[in-house]
Amino acid sequence: MADIILGGIEGGGTVSTISLFNGKGERLSELTGVGTNYLTLGMDVVHDRINALVQEAKKLANLPEDLTLTALGLSLSGCEHDEANKKFAVKLREKYPDLSEEYYVCSDTVGPIAVAHKNGGGVIISGTGSNTLLVNPDGSEVRCGGWGSLLGDEGSAYWISHQAIKICFDDLDNFKTPPMGYSTDYIWSAAKSYFNAESVFEFLPIFYENYCKARIASFCRVISQGANEGDPLCKWLFHQAGRDLARFIQSVAEGASEELLKAEGGLPIVCVGSVWKSWNLLKDGFVEQLAKIDRFKVEELSLLKLTVSVSIGATYLAAKAINFNLPRDYTQNYEVFFHYKRPN
């Protein structure tokens, strides 16, 4: 046990976090670095970044530079397919043969679940984009979303921002009346200021020639501010986002095992991403959708906010990959911020 050193990396498109633990379950180091999404950066670049993160973490933990990790868990954005993940690990081992003895590679939706529960649960990501995954105790999975900005991302910061600007365009074109007849004045003025654009034509390079999903998504913070200040259209957008996030949960809950549905507090759902910081704006739409009888009836659920890095969940998965019982206390890793129970 004394010789076991486990690592876990939570890898996003812009930021990644690594944690190192010893066999006693003691965290030796944790630090953040650059993004590690190989679909946007390329596999070679991400392999180099993973190696650099491990070396920095070992240095911070006062571990020998030539030490080989016992196992490394990688919960990375873009790692959605098992066969591609196996290839990713093989190529990483070939390039850095002394980095780790074993690897566990999975999507960034798997790590958050591993942080909170030993026997599975759900996760719903609502940050720049959106995605949902449920893992049953037998290892079976149910997914919904995760299709990116062209085919999905409902309820995400990008979706909210895109919808806001599209509603303004439709209003300016006299093509479609804004929802509920709400004024677009706040959002259109804020958008022009935020993106430094004076006309609809100056928005075209932002969405096409110089397209940057993260930049567009970041406008969601301004919409959140407007909603908190009472702008009706901004509030409506978050209400709709809340409904879509509930739809994601209703979708995956249909495939949940009785064990998860009957867990204490109901179906556990880990909520990850910056949009959840605006829960006060999402809540009404979220609850409204859960109450609808035309979708799967979730009788009870708990929404969880992680209090630790997802890199810890990736470390737990590394331990599982080598059948090692790493000491842990799940109750220290999250807090419940919302509990729902369907009225009788």
Side-chain angles (χ1 to χ4, degrees), residues 112-126:
I113 297 174
V115 176
H117 283 278
K118 180 179 182 180
N119 294 321
V123 61
I124 179 166
I125 296 175
S126 180

Side-chain angles (χ1 to χ4, degrees), residues 94-236:
E94 289 176 355
K95 191 167 188 179
Y96 296 103
D98 299 320
L99 187 63
S100 179
E101 296 175 14
E102 298 291 340
Y103 292 97
Y104 185 92
V105 184
C106 62
S107 164
D108 59 347
T109 54
V110 177
I113 297 174
V115 176
H117 283 278
K118 180 179 182 180
N119 294 321
V123 61
I124 179 166
I125 296 175
S126 180
T128 300
S130 61
N131 200 356
T132 316
L133 172 70
L134 182 138
V135 179
N136 283 307
D138 64 2
S140 60
E141 298 181 353
V142 187
R143 297 176 179 272
C144 183
W147 307 123
S149 58
L150 294 180
L151 296 174
D153 276 346
E154 292 87 353
S156 70
Y158 177 86
W159 181 90
I160 293 170
S161 299
H162 175 271
Q163 290 293 306
I165 294 172
K166 179 67 168 77
I167 288 170
C168 290
F169 269 55
D170 287 346
D171 187 34
L172 290 166
D173 278 348
N174 199 30
F175 177 71
K176 186 186 296 184
T177 302
M180 312 301 291
Y182 292 141
S183 170
T184 59
D185 288 350
Y186 174 89
I187 289 178
W188 185 235
S189 176
K192 288 190 292 183
S193 176
Y194 190 82
F195 292 103
N196 193 27
E198 290 300 323
S199 70
V200 290
F201 298 103
E202 291 181 50
F203 277 85
L204 298 183
I206 296 169
F207 279 85
Y208 296 102
E209 183 181 356
N210 302 314
Y211 174 78
C212 176
K213 181 178 178 180
R215 183 189 179 197
I216 295 168
S218 65
F219 180 56
C220 184
R221 292 196 298 269
V222 179
I223 302 172
S224 173
Q225 180 180 343
N228 282 312
E229 292 175 356
D231 180 76
L233 183 54
C234 291
K235 292 170 67 176
W236 181 88

